[in-house]
Amino acid sequence: MTTNSDHGRPTPVPSPASPASLPTPRPLALLTGVGRTIGIGAGIARQLAASGWDIAFTYWTPYDKRMSWGVESGATEAITAGLTECGAATLAVEADLADPETPARVFDEVERALGKITALVMCHCESVDSGLLDTTVESFDRHFAVNARATWLLIREYGRRFAASPGSGRIIALTSDHTVGNLPYGASKGALDRITLAAAHEFADLGVTANVINPGPVDTGWMTDEGREYILGRTPLNRIGTPQDAAHLVDFLCSPQGQWINGQLLLSNGGFA
């Protein structure tokens, strides 16, 4: 107690907050390839934000411009607003992952704005349909630069900078087993699998888990009516996958309860075959 000199009455001095009463800092997840509100990356980001994570995410507008769906106006702002509503601190970074200098730059920007990254969730991709006979060398190289090389460089940067407590770190990548008529995409995603799974062993001293998720066909606006009918016919649960399906699995893997799942390629596709 101290004495108020004006009135001579004792004035309480607030006691320091006990550790138990202080808010728990939110861990930080970096997600790549979050360019559209209906995409898998956006669904995962919203789920993690609702579960108590801060979120940094990357997007690359020139890729969407090249694709049939085009650029979604206001997507970055809408995604950011949704994450903020969940209480997350957020940062959006436009990032050309075909540039080998980009992963380090992204980590620098995120760390300056939000701090150290605990979870790395890679949803980015280059995906242009072509087969064995009509794939160009330029397209093949771009697929491997984005889907394989950038994955390696992001994981390498994560391992070099990881500073969270052992057992809390997470690396998750989204993959695909599609190859027929989609050769460079499928081949480069196969390389992504191997790169990501290597981290489960090479980062063992950090206590970091690394897993790959194959979400199967997910309706993010690209399916034709014919394609949707084909997928339904090969899915026992008789529905199309959604971004939320993948988000639930990522949320579990990033939780303390998901720590024992490590070095796995997980199918989350409703039994699609």
Side-chain angles (χ1 to χ4, degrees), residues 130-135 183:
S130 63
L132 288 165
L133 299 180
D134 60 341
T135 295
L183 170 72

Side-chain angles (χ1 to χ4, degrees), residues 41-234:
I44 293 171
R46 286 191 294 269
Q47 182 65 51
L48 288 177
S51 293
W53 290 75
D54 288 336
I55 305 292
F57 65 91
T58 73
Y59 63 99
W60 182 234
T61 302
Y63 173 71
D64 289 322
K65 285 182 178 178
R66 287 194 283 116
M67 305 309 288
S68 59
W69 52 77
V71 176
E72 181 184 353
S73 178
T76 300
E77 294 77 11
I79 292 167
T80 298
L83 302 178
T84 302
E85 287 176 3
C86 294
T90 66
L91 177 70
V93 181
E94 184 146 23
D96 178 10
L97 291 173
D99 179 352
E101 302 299 321
T102 294
R105 178 181 65 80
V106 169
F107 270 78
D108 286 342
E109 289 192 33
V110 172
E111 288 180 350
R112 279 195 298 267
L114 299 179
K116 290 292 186 178
I117 294 163
T118 300
L120 171 63
V121 183
M122 294 171 286
C123 312
H124 67 273
C125 76
E126 171 77 15
S127 178
V128 179
D129 291 346
S130 63
L132 288 165
L133 299 180
D134 60 341
T135 295
T136 67
V137 170
E138 189 234 355
S139 178
F140 189 89
D141 288 348
R142 189 189 307 118
H143 277 80
F144 271 82
V146 174
N147 297 342
R149 186 180 68 194
T151 297
W152 159 52
L153 293 174
L154 286 162
I155 291 174
R156 185 178 73 173
E157 211 63 40
Y158 175 89
R160 286 174 170 174
R161 302 177 188 228
F162 181 76
S165 58
S168 64
R170 302 288 187 270
I171 297 172
I172 299 169
L174 297 188
T175 192
S176 172
D177 55 11
H178 196 200
T179 53
V180 178
N182 210 195
L183 170 72
Y185 174 69
S188 57
K189 283 288 190 172
L192 171 148
D193 298 351
R194 309 271 79 76
I195 293 166
T196 304
L197 296 178
H201 297 272
E202 294 193 23
F203 291 173
D205 60 319
L206 301 177
V208 169
T209 66
N211 294 286
V212 180
I213 296 172
N214 183 344
V218 176
D219 190 0
T220 57
W222 59 268
M223 290 185 184
T224 63
D225 290 341
E226 181 182 10
R228 189 175 286 104
E229 183 178 350
Y230 173 79
I231 292 165
L232 286 172
R234 300 184 64 184

